Amino acid sequence: MSREHEKGMSLIVKTITRLTVGLILLYGIYIVSHGHVSPGGGFAGGVIIALSFIHLMLAYGKEVAFKRLSRTVASFFESLGAIMFLVIAILGFTGGYFFLNFIAKGEPFKLFSAGIIPLCNIAICLKVGAGLFGIFVALVLLKLESGEKK
Amino acid sequence: MSIYMLCLVLFACGLYCILRKRNIIKIIIGIIIAEYGAHLFFILTAYRMQGRSPIYSVEADIKNMVDPLPHALVLTAIVIGLATTALIIAIAMRIYEKYGTFDITKIKELRG
Amino acid sequence: MGASNIIPLFVVIPLAGAFLISLLGKKIKGLADIIGVISGLSLCVLSFYAVRLYNIHGVLTYSVGAWMPPIGIGMIIDGLSAFMLVTVNLVAFCVVVYSLNYMEKYTAKGKFYTLFFLMLSGMNGVIITGDMFNLFVFLEIAAVASYALVAFGTEKHELEAAFKYAVMGTMGSLFVLLGIAFLYGYTSTLNMADMGAVISRKGTGNIVLMVIILFLMGFGLKAALVPFHAWLPDAHPSAPAPISAMLSGVLIKALGVYALCRIFYNVIGVSPLISSILMFMGTLSMVVAGLLAIGQWDYKRLLAYSSISQIGYIILGVGLGTPLGILGGLFHLFNHSIFKSLLFLNSGAVEYTTGTRDLQQMGGLAHKMPVTGATGLIGSMSIAGIPPFSGFWSKLIIIIAAVEAQKFAYAFWAALISILTLAMYVKVLKYAFLGNLAEKWKQIKEVPIFMKLSMSTLAIICMVGGVLLFANINDVFLNRASENLLQGRKYAVMVFKGIRQ
């Protein structure tokens, strides 16, 4: 066992986490990228992606999770998601309107369709995933820090 | 009709909880309950008799759908509620850190 | 179409500013300040430009994403919106300039600007939107940002005030959401103009009465009218001074008063019942908060109570429903934004140099801080209604309008509270700025340049505010705004005419 396995929960939880966490992440990505043709979308997918990291943190402790996604990176992605969404909206001005769907719509029920909506989904996913992870981290670390002080 | 009333009863329960309870955590739970009452009511305004879920798929026709707009609106409202709740919980944790209690009758730095 | 392209910019610029600052602010030093000032200035200029465009082209409408209202989201600039935009963005710019120096003492300046611009974009959004649910979303953006800003210092009393404010504010938002749900169920549309048209076609039944009560509670909580005012005297003093200025100066007006007026006048349609409720609540806030304010010894707390009292004047004026009353109410809204933010910035300047907000410990500060003293004098005289300053004219108009409408009791209370306000501010001046300099304040210096600059700008606007009543300026600015409210449900006709063009 390597050193990073010393903290966190028991072996069973860790093993199952190791097996499932990739699948959860993948499922989140599926929900996001398929959001414009089936139920789902940026918000739901972003939440699932954030949950995969939170899952990792619960099972292995904060160090391992921060190695995958540190706080600064999370806050960077959060701002990036917001900026991306705004840029997509502003690019609509090229067609004359704010938030105009300026890319060709394509056929319904195909993966590459619906114009800017998949791009918006990705931006929302970045914002929501990083934001939710950030909220969780902020609340947990606040508790840990105040616990250490006592 | 009664189901609409039940949502408003839920909302009123939440309000009672906010106004009457002294524990900060219980107040936050009250906010969440009231929020859910409002969301449920909004969702119910979408319902049509014999309607099905408003998901557009290849073989389905658009008849007999419930109104999809409130679903989108409530989703937005839920996201906003999430942000507000997270913020209030963070403030509550900071309050506990400073005062060492969740009882609002003991937190009296400000008067009036 | 060309002219209305500026409408979305009022939301885009502050949002872009906020996220750019949060993305890059930490890496490059001073960038946060530069982006902040540039966005503030451009918004301020654009809002004046919007007034000009409105006077040339009439109502400007914009359909987001080329989806025509009532199906898509419409953004509208009419007289009232243009007027509110000028008020909000003018104060916001002065506050940004002020916080260049003031916020140095806090560590997270970048976060402050991010939250500030989020709040600003929320307020601008509330003002320009023509869609009911969109109004709720923008209202929540502004509200959540302001909860976080009140707790910005993370001291004991700030957290407590922020908690109180957040709980009350969330309750208000829930009432608004429930009201929107009822209205959607009744009218099956979300566009405000369309809603107004449907309501005037279907008539006002019991559901609309319920909606009126819910909105009165929801927006009343946001505007801090008296039965719902308990959060304001805690929340506004606890925030950092620039934020107090924003909250007291424009937030309660954009979120509370503006939304209340817009919905009651242009969507639901004002009836004698609503009018009398508004007048009663306005007078009640005026009297109760005025009496509570005079006993305060905390400088900022006194100002906060006085805000509630002045909001009462605005609601009384608007609630009268006569052309003169609405004109007076809106004029007082503009004036109050200017002088209340000036006074809060002033109290911030005093706190910046002396570190206290207790009036009993101050004294003679005008000797050491001439600019702060002078601007404080101007602001106080203006809010108390001394003739050449702007506050006098608006209060005069409100009182005359009340007399004209045969509401002598309300006119009497308005006049009486005006005297009380004078007493309250004479007390501030006497204890804070005049008199002998206390021994321990011998070493203090005047505040830095940017703080002086923004306070002087606001003071000059206070002095010349009466100019707005002159015929030419009045026609393009204030009168247009009050006309918009007066036309009531014809709003729908006007907006749809704008969309079809």
Side-chain angles (χ1 to χ4, degrees):
Chain A
M1 288 234 133
S2 62
R3 273 192 67 238
E4 69 180 33
H5 289 215
E6 281 166 18
K7 273 191 176 175
M9 293 192 184
S10 69
L11 185 66
I12 300 169
V13 178
K14 280 180 183 169
T15 313
I16 292 181
T17 303
R18 200 169 59 234
L19 292 176
T20 56
V21 81
L23 292 177
I24 296 174
L25 185 68
L26 205 62
Y27 184 64
I29 292 171
Y30 159 73
I31 293 274
V32 171
S33 57
H34 227 247
H36 52 291
V37 289
S38 61
F43 183 76
V47 170
I48 295 171
I49 288 175
L51 283 180
S52 75
F53 285 103
I54 291 171
H55 192 175
L56 206 64
M57 186 183 253
L58 288 176
Y60 284 92
K62 63 180 184 202
E63 283 79 13
V64 179
F66 279 151
K67 209 180 278 174
R68 302 281 195 285
L69 185 68
S70 76
R71 284 171 92 176
T72 45
V73 175
S75 83
F76 171 77
F77 273 127
E78 199 190 342
S79 305
L80 188 74
I83 289 274
M84 217 171 118
F85 193 71
L86 197 64
V87 166
I88 292 168
I90 292 172
L91 279 180
F93 273 127
T94 54
Y97 282 97
F98 188 52
F99 261 115
L100 184 73
N101 197 338
F102 59 94
I103 301 176
K105 312 287 189 298
E107 261 177 87
F109 305 111
K110 291 277 155 39
L111 185 58
F112 292 100
S113 64
I116 60 169
I117 293 177
L119 297 176
C120 286
N121 271 341
I122 292 170
I124 295 169
C125 152
L126 282 179
K127 173 83 188 161
V128 170
L132 213 61
F133 183 70
I135 289 171
F136 179 79
V137 166
L139 291 180
V140 166
L141 287 192
L142 190 68
K143 182 147 188 302
L144 287 179
E145 277 160 15
S146 60
E148 276 161 19
K149 253 184 247 165
K150 279 165 198 159
Chain B
M1 192 61 202
S2 61
I3 197 160
Y4 292 93
M5 282 298 157
L6 279 177
C7 294
L8 296 181
V9 169
L10 193 62
F11 185 78
C13 285
L15 278 188
Y16 174 81
C17 195
I18 297 170
L19 297 173
R20 203 71 187 88
K21 293 291 167 191
R22 288 171 173 186
N23 191 315
I24 285 182
I25 300 298
K26 285 183 186 165
I27 291 176
I28 294 172
I29 291 171
I31 291 175
I32 296 170
I33 291 173
E35 213 170 79
Y36 288 170
H39 292 168
L40 275 174
F41 183 82
F42 212 148
I43 280 285
L44 273 178
T45 59
Y47 184 69
R48 304 278 175 275
M49 284 303 260
Q50 308 292 321
R52 59 177 189 81
S53 60
I55 299 168
Y56 182 48
S57 58
V58 185
E59 63 274 10
D61 55 351
I62 310 182
K63 282 177 192 166
N64 286 336
M65 278 184 185
V66 299
D67 185 359
L69 188 59
H71 295 81
L73 302 183
V74 167
L75 192 62
T76 317
I78 289 173
V79 176
I80 294 169
L82 172 81
T84 322
T85 315
L87 185 68
I88 297 179
I89 289 176
I91 293 173
M93 287 177 73
R94 284 295 182 104
I95 286 179
Y96 185 75
E97 202 184 354
K98 301 272 181 194
Y99 288 87
T101 176
F102 276 131
D103 190 347
I104 51 166
T105 51
K106 290 189 181 128
I107 303 169
K108 271 197 212 143
E109 198 85 348
L110 301 162
R111 67 265 166 226
Chain C
M1 199 61 243
S4 48
N5 265 331
I6 68 158
I7 300 178
L9 291 181
F10 285 106
V11 180
V12 171
I13 292 175
L15 272 184
F19 294 126
L20 278 178
I21 288 169
S22 83
L23 194 64
L24 305 169
K26 267 179 229 155
K27 299 194 182 100
I28 308 161
K29 238 184 164 196
L31 189 77
D33 290 342
I34 296 168
I35 294 178
V37 171
I38 290 174
S39 353
L41 183 64
S42 51
L43 280 172
C44 191
V45 172
L46 270 179
S47 63
F48 282 107
Y49 188 54
V51 172
R52 193 180 139 69
L53 280 180
Y54 172 70
N55 278 294
I56 298 171
H57 298 280
V59 179
L60 304 173
T61 56
Y62 193 86
S63 22
V64 176
W67 294 92
M68 286 297 160
I71 291 166
I73 293 171
M75 289 178 169
I76 291 152
I77 288 189
D78 58 3
L80 183 62
S81 301
F83 164 76
M84 285 301 295
L85 281 175
V86 169
T87 314
V88 168
N89 291 309
L90 188 65
V91 173
F93 176 59
C94 288
V95 166
V96 169
V97 171
Y98 181 90
S99 36
L100 287 180
N101 283 136
Y102 186 84
M103 293 310 288
E104 290 295 341
K105 66 175 181 179
Y106 292 91
T107 44
K109 213 173 170 187
K111 284 197 181 109
F112 166 78
Y113 278 122
T114 307
L115 286 170
F116 179 87
F117 279 109
L118 276 179
M119 189 168 88
L120 187 58
S121 67
M123 281 189 285
N124 281 343
V126 166
I127 292 164
I128 60 174
T129 188
D131 184 278
M132 196 59 108
F133 194 78
N134 208 6
L135 185 139
F136 171 75
V137 171
F138 279 123
L139 188 129
E140 280 292 84
I141 292 176
V144 172
S146 68
Y147 307 151
L149 280 169
V150 170
F152 198 72
T154 64
E155 291 298 319
K156 262 186 170 182
H157 61 98
E158 284 162 351
L159 290 169
E160 192 193 333
F163 183 76
K164 215 171 178 181
Y165 178 29
V167 170
M168 300 285 257
T170 314
M171 266 169 71
S173 310
L174 286 177
F175 283 127
V176 173
L177 181 64
L178 210 56
I180 291 173
F182 272 110
L183 262 187
Y184 180 71
Y186 187 64
T187 61
S188 321
T189 176
L190 281 171
N191 187 278
M192 278 171 15
D194 203 22
M195 248 178 196
V198 172
I199 288 177
S200 48
R201 201 162 56 237
K202 282 177 90 169
T204 48
N206 280 337
I207 291 184
V208 175
L209 194 68
M210 179 87 181
V211 170
I212 289 171
I213 295 168
L214 286 170
F215 278 157
L216 209 58
M217 288 200 282
F219 292 121
L221 266 166
K222 297 277 178 199
L225 291 174
V226 147
F228 314 115
H229 71 289
W231 56 271
L232 189 141
D234 293 336
H236 286 192
S238 300
I243 293 309
S244 309
M246 275 310 265
L247 292 179
S248 232
V250 289
L251 188 88
I252 51 176
K253 301 195 185 69
L255 261 54
V257 178
Y258 167 81
L260 203 67
C261 294
R262 175 65 90 198
I263 287 172
F264 280 171
Y265 275 82
N266 290 146
V267 178
I268 294 176
V270 71
S271 64
L273 175 72
I274 300 177
S275 179
S276 54
I277 292 175
L278 283 181
M279 277 190 291
F280 178 73
M281 283 174 84
T283 316
L284 192 69
S285 331
M286 201 158 81
V287 175
V288 172
L291 291 174
L292 284 170
I294 203 151
Q296 300 297 326
W297 283 106
D298 184 331
Y299 193 174
K300 286 175 88 174
R301 214 174 159 78
L302 189 149
L303 293 179
Y305 271 112
S306 138
S307 272
I308 305 173
S309 161
Q310 303 296 318
I311 285 287
Y313 274 99
I314 298 168
I315 293 289
L316 172 65
V318 172
L320 279 170
T322 56
L324 199 64
I326 293 177
L327 181 78
L330 292 176
F331 189 31
H332 198 64
L333 189 153
F334 177 77
N335 287 337
H336 182 248
S337 306
I338 301 294
F339 51 63
K340 188 45 66 72
S341 37
L342 170 62
L343 286 168
F344 263 115
L345 295 183
N346 229 301
S347 72
V350 171
E351 200 185 352
Y352 184 82
T353 47
T354 63
T356 180
R357 293 185 342 213
D358 191 349
L359 285 172
Q360 280 163 320
Q361 290 181 20
M362 299 171 192
L365 295 178
H367 300 295
K368 287 283 180 186
M369 303 158 75
V371 177
T372 313
T375 51
L377 181 72
I378 293 168
S380 308
M381 289 301 107
S382 188
I383 197 171
I386 301 293
F389 300 108
S390 57
F392 168 72
W393 303 109
S394 49
K395 280 186 184 175
L396 188 69
I397 293 175
I398 291 173
I399 294 172
I400 291 175
V403 170
E404 249 183 23
Q406 310 283 323
K407 312 277 184 205
F408 296 112
Y410 291 140
F412 168 73
W413 282 112
L416 190 75
I417 297 300
S418 170
I419 297 168
L420 204 66
T421 315
L422 180 63
M424 167 179 10
Y425 283 96
V426 165
K427 171 182 157 186
V428 170
L429 288 176
K430 175 170 174 283
Y431 280 97
F433 295 117
L434 307 177
N436 295 322
L437 192 65
E439 193 58 40
K440 59 179 167 179
W441 307 132
K442 292 278 190 229
Q443 303 303 318
I444 59 169
K445 280 189 292 233
E446 181 61 289
V447 290
I449 173 78
F450 286 119
M451 285 163 78
K452 275 194 276 195
L453 203 66
S454 88
M455 284 193 294
S456 326
T457 316
L458 287 171
I460 289 167
I461 298 173
C462 262
M463 267 154 65
V464 299
V467 166
L468 286 176
L469 282 181
F470 287 150
N472 291 338
I473 307 174
N474 190 7
D475 274 351
V476 299
F477 191 57
L478 269 171
N479 242 352
R480 294 298 172 112
S482 56
E483 272 168 20
N484 272 124
L485 282 183
L486 273 174
Q487 68 192 353
R489 292 200 208 125
K490 290 203 194 74
Y491 175 70
V493 181
M494 194 184 73
V495 167
F496 282 111
K497 204 176 84 193
I499 289 164
R500 270 195 291 278
Q501 274 165 6

